[in-house]
Amino acid sequence: MRARRIAVCLGLAAAALLVGGAGAEGDDARRLVGSWRLVEWTAVDGDGVTVRPYGDAPQGRLTYGADGSMSLLLFRADRPAFESGDPRRGSDGEVREAFEGSFTYFGSWELEGDRVRHAIEACSFPNWTGTVQERLVRWRGDRLVLESPPVTSGGESKVHTLLWERAE
């Protein structure tokens, strides 16, 4: 336990250096550092219709490193296993369902005001590789809320809101 506390303190100290260490923006950046578990994901279209893209129990992990690195992993909890048990031998339908039920990327991050920018180095959706994705940052108590601008997926434009809690 003591080693973990020391590591957390060192990470927070590094975060303070990363963001300049002063002011509300520096406080928010230090607050982002660490791992987050997905609680809820909703998407609202232009007509106000709300859906849950990965169902009622999506799985996800978002990690912000004090060094400026970040990664995001999102999964449907109900993705079926491949019948063969071999990741390279899935049927076309199994592979499609696995791909459509997951979304991942990694890269670097920076916070400016109430916006976090993810500079994506690689993404499961190749079109996002090399792009910068910006999200509105809000806090609901100790929980992190990230909201996208309108994003087109499946031919529809939706604003995505992801609610995160600190992972232990």
Side-chain angles (χ1 to χ4, degrees):
M1 247 352 216
R2 181 173 178 199
R4 181 179 171 148
R5 278 194 293 264
I6 290 170
V8 169
C9 289
L10 289 173
L12 291 175
L17 292 173
L18 173 73
V19 297
E25 192 170 298
D27 292 341
D28 280 343
R30 283 189 295 278
R31 198 171 175 191
L32 283 175
V33 171
S35 290
W36 299 88
R37 181 180 11 264
L38 184 62
V39 174
E40 180 181 68
W41 177 7
T42 58
V44 180
D45 68 17
D47 295 327
V49 176
T50 300
V51 297
R52 297 179 182 278
Y54 281 7
D56 291 332
Q59 298 174 320
R61 185 63 56 109
L62 172 63
T63 303
Y64 289 111
D67 63 351
S69 64
M70 64 81 52
S71 61
L72 172 107
L73 307 145
L74 299 171
F75 299 95
R76 285 189 67 91
D78 60 355
R79 291 182 314 144
F82 287 14
E83 188 175 315
S84 71
D86 183 336
R88 298 262 185 204
R89 299 277 186 244
S91 69
D92 289 348
E94 288 171 329
V95 170
R96 182 182 182 110
E97 208 165 333
F99 175 79
E100 289 180 352
S102 63
F103 192 77
T104 62
Y105 63 78
F106 70 89
S108 60
W109 70 279
E110 68 177 356
L111 182 71
E112 186 175 315
D114 62 356
R115 309 284 172 169
V116 65
R117 290 186 185 90
H118 299 164
I120 299 175
E121 292 178 45
C123 181
S124 58
F125 176 53
N127 299 40
W128 277 22
T129 297
T131 68
V132 175
Q133 297 294 316
E134 185 175 275
R135 302 293 180 258
L136 173 65
V137 175
R138 290 181 285 136
W139 296 97
R140 193 179 299 165
D142 288 339
R143 290 179 162 186
L144 170 63
V145 180
L146 296 181
E147 183 177 296
S148 76
V151 174
T152 300
S153 178
E156 295 182 71
S157 181
K158 296 179 181 154
V159 173
H160 295 260
T161 303
L162 287 83
L163 176 65
W164 303 89
E165 65 184 5
R166 181 114 10 222
E168 295 297 325

